[in-house]
Structures are given as structure tokens and as C-alpha cells.
Amino acid sequence: MRFEATGLDGAWLVKIEAAHDERGFFARTFCEDEFRAHGLVTRFPQHSISSSSRRATLRGMHFQNEPHGEVKLVRCLNGSIWDVIVDLRANSPTFRQWRGFELSAENGSQLYIPKGFAHGFQTLSDDVQVNYLISEFYEPSAANGVRYDDPMFGISWPLAVSTISDKDLNWPLQGA
């Protein structure tokens, strides 16, 4: 695996290093030793998957309030997504900055998202599946989010949104 800095404090793009042969390929997607060597969380007691049938579906931007903040390791298993993170940590040097990354079944890249970040994605293809390793158990009372189109962040999404939940559409604007 290769760990590439994202430009946001504590967030990493984790790229697989596949060994190819006539059968296809084999690659590690997680190694406690390598994650620990980068100072990253290695315990993920909750694993989740999302499925989106339509291209341009938007999910996010989600996070959990403390003390239930989550580290996430996100990977696209089928199709492709534009995965976006926003640093919401007021004491961070990258506070309110965002970055986007294409994650796909083809490139195998994963995004390591620290606590205190909002996370969401837009599907770039039909029939998308996204896998999450999550460092904490989900706590419904701590669920929160920010608007995908909040001008405070100015996130650039690649497609016009085709599908979004009412909940995600109605997160409050920051500073409003």
C-alpha cells in the first residue's frame, strides 16, 4: 500500500499495490502495521456498505458529533464515486477546507478520514457499492451533517445531483 497525503491534516489516500498475474491481481487493502506506522487508527469494529443505483446520486455530508466521532476508511467496490471530505475541526490548520478524490473499483484507492471531518460522495456511474470501515459504533443521536452545496465550503461536484435524500438536502447551512 502507498499512503499519499491529501492536503488535509490527518487524511490520507491509500493506494493499493496490486500483484498481477494470469488470474487477475491480489492486493492488501489493510495492514495494522502499516496503518500504525503512519499514526492511524487500526481498530474498526463496524463495517458498512452502501448501494446507489443511479449515476449522480449524492450521499452526505455526514459526521458524528463528539464524543461519538468516527474515523472512516472508505473504498468503492463497484463503479466509481467522487468522494469528498471537509475538515470541521476548529483547531486544525486545514479547518473548513475540502478535497475530492475519485475512488473506483478499478483504481482500488481508499480514503482514510479522521474524526472531525464531514464525508460524502457523488456516484459517477450506475450501480455503485461503497464499503466503510468505521472506528466507532453508530450513535443515531450523534448523527449530523453539513449541506453538500454550502457556500462556506464551495465544494465542486462533477455532476448535477440526480438523487439526494431529504435529510441530506436539509442540513443547515454553516454560519447561517
Side-chain angles (χ1 to χ4, degrees):
M1 292 178 292
R2 287 191 336 265
F3 292 77
E4 296 181 3
T6 63
L8 296 181
D9 187 40
W12 294 86
L13 191 62
V14 182
K15 296 194 170 185
I16 63 169
E17 293 180 323
H20 293 270
D21 66 18
E22 65 278 355
R23 300 167 294 174
F25 75 89
F26 178 86
R28 285 182 303 149
T29 60
F30 181 78
C31 174
E32 279 188 29
D33 289 343
E34 289 189 43
F35 274 67
R36 190 177 300 110
H38 284 84
L40 306 179
V41 167
T42 62
R43 181 179 175 274
F44 297 98
Q46 183 174 299
H47 297 204
S48 299
I49 189 169
S50 71
S51 177
S52 301
S53 57
R54 293 184 56 203
R55 181 177 184 259
T57 296
L58 198 138
R59 291 179 180 264
M61 302 287 298
H62 305 143
F63 63 94
Q64 284 207 151
N65 293 323
E66 291 299 340
H68 302 285
E70 304 168 318
V71 172
K72 294 178 185 173
L73 184 62
V74 178
R75 179 169 56 120
C76 185
L77 300 174
N78 192 62
S80 61
I81 62 173
W82 179 245
D83 205 33
V84 174
I85 54 176
V86 177
D87 188 347
L88 298 178
R89 302 168 302 173
N91 61 345
S92 170
T94 56
F95 180 51
R96 292 188 179 151
Q97 293 180 31
W98 71 274
R99 297 288 187 279
F101 306 89
E102 184 172 341
L103 304 182
S104 68
E106 186 176 323
N107 69 29
S109 294
Q110 302 175 95
L111 189 58
Y112 179 91
I113 307 162
K115 290 181 181 184
F117 278 67
H119 169 255
F121 64 84
Q122 185 176 46
T123 59
L124 301 176
S125 63
D126 290 337
D127 300 319
V128 168
Q129 288 189 343
V130 176
N131 188 73
Y132 306 76
L133 302 184
I134 305 168
S135 68
E136 305 295 330
F137 294 106
Y138 177 68
E139 173 52 53
S141 66
N144 207 338
V146 297
R147 284 267 298 271
Y148 78 99
D149 59 350
D150 193 320
M152 177 174 283
F153 307 118
I155 299 169
S156 295
W157 297 97
L159 305 169
V161 175
S162 68
T163 308
I164 187 170
S165 72
D166 288 340
K167 183 177 181 179
D168 288 347
L169 192 57
N170 291 303
W171 291 118
L173 294 172
Q174 299 300 297

